[in-house]
Amino acid sequence: MKSALQKPIGDAPGAEGRFRRTLAALGMEGEDSTRTSSVSYASFNWIRIVFGIVLIYDAWTSLSWQHKVASAQALGLPISSPVLHLLVIVLAFVELAVALSIMSDRGVVPMSWVGIGYAGFVWIVFQHGGDFGQDGTDPGVALPYIVVFVFLIGVQRLRTDPDVTKNEMLTLARNGFGLLWGYDALLKFQPYFLNHFTDFLTSAQADMKGTLTASYDQFFLAVTNIMGPHLVAVLVALTEALIAASLISGRGLRIMAPIGFLLSFAIWSTAETWGGPYSLGVSAEAAQLFGAATIYMIAFFYIMTLYNPLDLLRKRLRARG
């Protein structure tokens, strides 16, 4: 977690200085330049635009009737409650404002902090801190949003200071993402997940019955049954633990980040049924687009840009040359 380079941080004023000193005390002073790839602010622009599109879609779907019904159930309010409708409209407006800021690349840092507050509010009020049941496999979809917002803040700093060794926000985002994966892994080691792994696939297959996706899920289910459901569940949990360790330590990310991305894609396209159904034009809850795994993939885009896997190939080609 600690950067290889030490630097003075006492010159940071006020609350920002205290925040930076706190991160430094935790060993998060910046990235190790001997491990990261050569990047600039422009390297991450496309990820910012993708995330902005995600937020715009979220804001639109949050105004649907189905979403209001889900919100009413989460809050314990009747669907006719004026408070419910006002809250939904205000949250949609806030998310749209954040999205437009990110898309236009104007005021990204302050609006990212607003986004962090928004996602935290959704996580506590709507998702009840994860709202865990025995089949819970992640601590709530709003937390990955917070990680991406922190990445946005860190990348914005590259506009004025391209030195990643002084960018504690990128390190905070990486470590926060690692802790998220570590917690995911702990949930995967719970008896319910290990003993009911195929239930997640069969449930998704039933939801998408009669579609090409159902056949796609059937392929994964067949492979799982051949290997043994319990073994596959253990391998998934162990893989998530290794991804978490790599993210927190900052080591091996050129290998583990692509693995994490592919695992997230596999979860999104099977157990999360591609985040569907889309025919309703809705999301299941506030701060959700195509499923939690989609936001994990966006976070991995940041990691794979900062720790470019292609560097391994270039290094091998240079060694041969």
Side-chain angles (χ1 to χ4, degrees):
M1 293 172 63
K2 196 173 184 66
S3 169
L5 299 179
Q6 301 294 324
K7 64 181 187 306
I9 59 172
D11 57 344
E16 181 183 356
R18 289 191 293 272
F19 182 61
R20 296 182 70 179
R21 285 193 292 272
T22 300
L23 292 181
L26 296 173
M28 289 182 280
E29 299 176 74
E31 296 296 272
D32 187 340
S33 60
T34 63
R35 296 176 187 163
T36 58
S37 303
S38 178
V39 295
S40 65
Y41 170 75
S43 304
F44 301 89
N45 274 340
W46 68 276
I47 311 176
R48 172 179 54 79
I49 293 172
V50 168
F51 188 52
I53 294 172
V54 165
L55 295 175
I56 289 175
Y57 188 92
D58 283 354
W60 170 56
T61 58
S62 69
L63 295 174
S64 68
W65 177 258
Q66 291 87 345
H67 179 270
K68 291 177 181 177
V69 171
S71 297
Q73 293 174 347
L75 296 173
L77 294 173
I79 192 64
S80 60
S81 170
V83 174
L84 170 68
H85 291 272
L86 177 62
L87 183 59
V88 168
I89 292 172
V90 169
L91 289 178
F93 175 80
V94 170
E95 192 167 18
L96 181 60
V98 172
L100 293 177
S101 172
I102 290 172
M103 290 288 289
S104 65
D105 200 16
R106 294 178 181 271
V108 174
V109 172
M111 292 307 289
S112 291
W113 284 112
V114 171
I116 289 173
Y118 164 82
F121 177 83
V122 167
W123 185 65
I124 294 171
V125 176
F126 285 84
Q127 299 176 1
H128 308 140
D131 200 15
F132 302 112
Q134 66 176 358
D135 59 346
T137 60
D138 64 69
V141 69
L143 293 185
Y145 276 75
I146 292 176
V147 169
V148 175
F149 280 124
V150 177
F151 270 122
L152 276 168
I153 295 171
V155 167
Q156 283 296 310
R157 186 174 296 177
L158 295 178
R159 301 182 77 164
T160 56
D161 187 355
D163 188 355
V164 295
T165 67
K166 299 177 182 178
N167 198 319
E168 72 280 354
M169 294 305 290
L170 289 178
T171 306
L172 175 62
R174 172 174 57 78
N175 279 275
F177 195 33
L179 291 174
L180 190 59
W181 272 90
Y183 197 66
D184 282 359
L186 286 176
L187 294 176
K188 298 296 193 301
F189 279 110
Q190 298 303 308
Y192 185 89
F193 179 82
L194 296 176
N195 296 325
H196 297 83
F197 179 75
T198 56
D199 291 352
F200 294 94
L201 295 176
T202 55
S203 175
Q205 188 180 35
D207 290 340
M208 304 300 289
K209 185 177 180 180
T211 68
L212 182 61
T213 299
S215 301
Y216 176 79
D217 283 350
Q218 180 59 41
F219 169 77
F220 276 89
L221 186 60
V223 172
T224 297
N225 288 327
I226 291 172
M227 295 180 63
H230 194 271
L231 174 61
V232 174
V234 170
L235 289 175
V236 169
L238 287 174
T239 301
E240 292 199 358
L242 289 174
I243 292 169
S246 180
L247 284 166
I248 294 172
S249 67
R251 297 177 180 273
L253 283 172
R254 287 181 174 84
I255 295 175
M256 296 308 301
I259 291 175
F261 177 86
L262 292 174
L263 178 58
S264 299
F265 178 81
I267 293 171
W268 174 54
S269 60
T270 55
E272 290 189 359
T273 60
W274 305 89
Y278 298 116
S279 58
L280 299 176
V282 300
S283 55
E285 54 187 305
Q288 183 172 353
L289 176 61
F290 303 140
T294 311
I295 312 305
Y296 280 71
M297 286 188 284
I298 291 177
F300 273 121
F301 284 143
Y302 279 104
I303 295 293
M304 288 189 291
T305 302
L306 195 57
Y307 296 84
N308 193 333
L310 294 178
D311 287 349
L312 294 176
L313 178 59
R314 297 188 187 105
K315 185 177 179 180
R316 179 170 295 184
L317 290 175
R318 285 196 299 268
R320 290 182 177 180

